Amino acid sequence: MDTDVVRIFDTTLRDGEQSPGATLTSNEKIEIAKSLARLGVDVIEAGFPAASPDDLNAVKRIAIEVGSEGIGEKPPPIICGLARANKKDIDKTWEAVQHAKRPRIHTFIATSPIHMQYKLKMDPEEVVDKVREMVAYAKSFCDDVEFSPEDAGRSDPEFLYLVLEEAIKAGATTLNIPDTVGYTSPDEFGELISGIIENTPGIENVIVSVHCHNDLGLATANTLAGIQAGARQAEVAVNGIGERAGNTSLEEVVMAIRTREQFYGLQTN
């Protein structure tokens, strides 16, 4: 694994489409996916296949048309679909992404006290069991499995280390740390990533990823702090579009790493 390359994971077609008032047709999604492949992004999160039959079909078309051949000289990007931590979502995601040369299933469950109590109505032990079970289920279809502890920015770090260790044991290859509600500051987020890298058994065998939101205008700053702390995948969207105040901007992150190469000592594809 190349430690001086930051992988660019583009979620314009999934999280980006959750922008207020945004809707994309299947043809528009294909057009965007082809443009992202030409740009050289490493991973395209093409959608949330369980959300609707249309979304499943769009992800499937992207897997076939963009994920099997590649565009021009570049190899085909990884085509990823998002799934909640349940069998139905994972089944639908695999149905859509399996047509790509390099498919990925991305599954997630919340780990913050407020989300576990009020959204999931699950206790922490139940969440750990679900992570174990559903990451292993995704792995039974697909070698490349990404796991996200939703609302990691407000989660107890010690609990995160435990959850992430179980995800690694179950077969996750990328661990994505989302600041789901755009709550953290760069110092805090950088420390969270450092803590995860220092305290999670098996972390040296996986890629640590960061996914930040711009509610307090800090998405790019938090993402760069996470990268400095050792994350090697950045989850971004074109022009920073996304729900509420948006996601981390693809072009800001890529150009910060490119323009300040001497400072970061890193590159992207």
Side-chain angles (χ1 to χ4, degrees), residues 59-70:
V59 175
K60 186 174 176 178
R61 274 189 67 192
I62 290 166
I64 293 165
E65 295 180 38
V66 183
S68 55
E69 294 302 318

Side-chain angles (χ1 to χ4, degrees), residues 135-203:
V135 171
Y137 186 68
K139 189 75 172 185
S140 72
F141 296 107
C142 190
D143 285 337
D144 188 354
V145 175
E146 178 166 335
F147 169 71
S148 291
E150 189 185 8
D151 205 19
R154 295 189 297 179
S155 298
D156 169 47
E158 297 292 332
F159 182 59
L160 276 182
Y161 308 151
L162 170 66
V163 167
L164 295 171
E165 180 185 3
E166 291 305 323
I168 293 168
K169 284 188 200 161
T173 46
T174 298
L175 296 177
N176 175 54
I177 312 304
D179 184 23
T180 303
V181 292
Y183 181 76
T184 61
S185 72
D187 286 355
E188 277 177 309
F189 194 68
E191 276 174 32
L192 180 67
I193 300 303
S194 298
I196 285 166
I197 289 170
E198 282 159 25
N199 295 293
T200 306
I203 200 86

Side-chain angles (χ1 to χ4, degrees), residues 44-63:
I44 296 174
E45 187 163 59
F48 194 162
S52 70
D54 278 357
D55 217 23
L56 191 151
N57 285 331
V59 175
K60 186 174 176 178
R61 274 189 67 192
I62 290 166

Side-chain angles (χ1 to χ4, degrees), residues 17 36 52 69 77 99 135 179 190 195-196 208 210 213 239 254 263 265:
E17 207 198 4
L36 292 170
S52 70
E69 294 302 318
H99 304 278
V135 171
D179 184 23
I196 285 166
V208 177
V210 288
H213 280 266
N239 293 336
V254 168
F263 178 72

